[in-house]
Amino acid sequence: MAGILAWFWNERFWLPHNVTWADLQSTEEATFPQAEDLYLACPLAFCIFMIRLLFERFIAKPCALGLKVQANGPQKAQPNAILEKVFTAITKHPDEKRLEGLSKQLDWDVRSIQRWFRQRRNQEKPSTLTKFCESMWRFTFYLYIFTYGVRFLKKTPWLWNTRQCWNGYPNQPLTPDLHYYYLVELSFYWSLMFSQFVDVRRKDFVIMFTHHVVTVILITFSYITNLTRVGTLTLCLHDMADIVLEAAKMANYCKCQKLSDLLFLSFAIVFIVSRLGIYPLWILNTTLFELYEALGNFPAWWVLNMLLALLQVLHCFWSYLIIKAAYKAISKGKV
């Protein structure tokens, strides 16, 4: 086991030339990130999930009801043992041949059976109230952590000059504010990754899960190797658009259509500018070129930039969907 750990934590893979793990050991004068610090992320992720449940029940739900958000779910299909067996064990979308067979078996017309299957599929969808509560939780968290990130970063030199992310490396002590920021963000993404299986299931489930996995790996990797300065810039930039998106969703669930459309178009602008403009010109530029100039080439440099490039691919995919939806909004007058 010791040999495997020594192979995995090979300094020449993770760290730049002439930098060793000993350089990142905490002393009485300075504290540096340690891998053991991240053990706190698991219990903290559980705490965040429990806070979410309490928030949705005692804060978000009363707000939703006060805003007259629809509490009832979709209309339930009438009980039918034969159709239920087909739905759960065989298919949720029966073809024509199966519909005709069920029609003869039940003495129902085909349209009634199609209606039953449509109602049964809709029955599994969460209510608007549930979706509102989920969006309000995310809106509140993203607003809080983005505000915290901005207040923290505006006092740092690397916000205004990204070359400061690498100057003096590895002699960049870990401050309490930075440690808190990293730990809360990591814990939140851990909670998102697991709660995604019980949350409202969306069409981009696989893409979103991939995003969460890549984000958790990037946060962990950058913390352990003390590349936290560029990590804080990346985290803050990504939280910006999510605030507007969740606000647009809440407005939509409240049936404030004009406000929802305005917020969605604002989100589209913020997302595309931040993810397709600022992200490559600010984040990828410093990790690809400024990091290389300052610290040289090392294997983990490739890993870091491959993961950041994968995020950019996801940004492009989501931007395509956003532009498509925005086009519909402009052409049809409704998002």
Side-chain angles (χ1 to χ4, degrees):
M1 181 60 72
I4 293 173
L5 288 174
W7 170 82
F8 181 80
W9 292 112
N10 189 310
E11 293 170 341
R12 298 287 58 83
F13 179 87
W14 294 104
L15 301 174
H17 184 61
N18 292 333
V19 179
T20 67
W21 291 121
D23 296 322
L24 295 176
Q25 288 298 313
S26 297
T27 62
E28 292 183 2
E29 292 78 23
T31 301
F32 294 97
Q34 305 298 313
E36 303 82 51
D37 299 345
L38 301 181
Y39 293 154
L40 286 172
C42 288
L44 187 54
F46 177 75
C47 290
I48 288 175
F49 182 71
M50 296 306 295
I51 291 170
R52 171 193 167 173
L53 295 180
L54 293 171
F55 177 91
E56 288 184 357
R57 180 169 183 179
F58 296 108
I59 299 177
K61 188 175 179 180
C63 288
L65 295 175
L67 293 168
K68 300 187 179 351
V69 174
Q70 184 180 350
N72 298 327
Q75 182 182 356
K76 292 187 177 181
Q78 65 182 84
N80 187 293
I82 295 173
L83 295 179
E84 185 67 28
K85 185 176 181 181
V86 173
F87 183 86
T88 54
I90 302 175
T91 178
K92 297 180 180 181
H93 299 271
D95 54 24
E96 278 188 42
K97 187 176 179 181
R98 191 175 298 279
L99 286 170
E100 289 173 2
L102 290 169
S103 177
K104 292 176 183 177
Q105 186 178 356
L106 296 170
D107 196 25
W108 286 19
D109 62 85
V110 171
R111 291 192 66 179
S112 296
I113 296 174
Q114 288 176 324
R115 189 183 306 112
W116 188 94
F117 272 93
R118 184 171 61 253
Q119 289 177 346
R120 184 64 181 83
R121 288 193 299 270
N122 290 336
Q123 187 178 313
E124 296 191 333
K125 294 179 181 179
S127 66
T128 304
L129 178 64
T130 301
K131 292 190 283 187
F132 179 92
C133 291
E134 180 185 317
S135 287
M136 188 172 178
W137 158 249
R138 295 191 185 207
F139 169 81
T140 304
F141 180 84
Y142 285 130
L143 181 62
Y144 162 72
I145 202 66
F146 176 72
T147 304
Y148 181 90
V150 169
R151 290 181 62 187
F152 165 69
L153 284 170
K154 70 180 183 181
K155 298 179 289 185
T156 64
W158 62 87
L159 174 65
W160 315 108
N161 180 7
T162 52
R163 290 185 182 275
Q164 291 293 330
C165 290
W166 324 114
N167 287 352
Y169 182 89
N171 221 358
Q172 298 175 344
L174 178 71
T175 65
D177 288 345
L178 195 154
H179 178 252
Y180 172 80
Y181 188 29
Y182 246 74
L183 200 58
V184 171
E185 286 275 22
L186 177 60
S187 303
F188 179 70
Y189 279 103
W190 269 118
S191 71
L192 278 187
M193 195 160 65
F194 292 112
S195 66
Q196 192 178 359
F197 293 93
V198 296
D199 285 343
V200 177
R201 193 176 181 93
R202 296 183 170 88
K203 292 178 182 179
D204 63 349
F205 175 87
V206 175
I207 300 293
M208 187 63 77
F209 185 76
T210 303
H211 172 271
H212 295 337
V213 171
V214 171
T215 302
V216 165
I217 293 172
L218 273 170
I219 293 174
T220 303
F221 163 60
S222 61
Y223 185 86
I224 291 172
T225 55
N226 202 24
L227 302 177
T228 51
R229 292 186 175 185
V230 73
T232 57
L233 298 178
T234 308
L235 289 169
C236 192
L237 182 66
H238 278 73
D239 291 334
M240 186 191 315
D242 292 324
I243 300 169
V244 192
L245 174 62
E246 299 303 335
K249 289 181 184 178
M250 288 191 293
N252 182 50
Y253 300 145
C254 294
K255 297 184 178 179
C256 300
Q257 195 60 50
K258 289 185 178 179
L259 177 60
S260 178
D261 291 351
L262 177 63
L263 286 170
F264 179 79
L265 293 174
S266 301
F267 159 73
I269 294 168
V270 172
F271 187 95
I272 291 169
V273 169
S274 62
R275 307 290 177 93
L276 299 188
I278 299 175
Y279 179 79
L281 294 175
W282 195 38
I283 303 298
L284 290 181
N285 176 66
T286 192
T287 58
L288 280 169
F289 304 111
E290 294 175 353
L291 170 57
Y292 183 86
E293 290 174 12
L295 303 177
N297 186 15
F298 56 104
W301 177 84
W302 292 92
V303 175
L304 173 68
N305 284 290
M306 283 176 63
L307 290 170
L308 290 172
L310 179 56
L311 275 186
Q312 183 65 0
V313 171
L314 297 178
H315 296 162
C316 292
F317 172 76
W318 278 316
S319 295
Y320 163 74
L321 297 180
I322 291 165
I323 292 169
K324 192 175 176 182
Y327 173 77
K328 286 182 180 179
I330 294 169
S331 60
K332 297 181 179 179
K334 182 180 179 181
V335 177

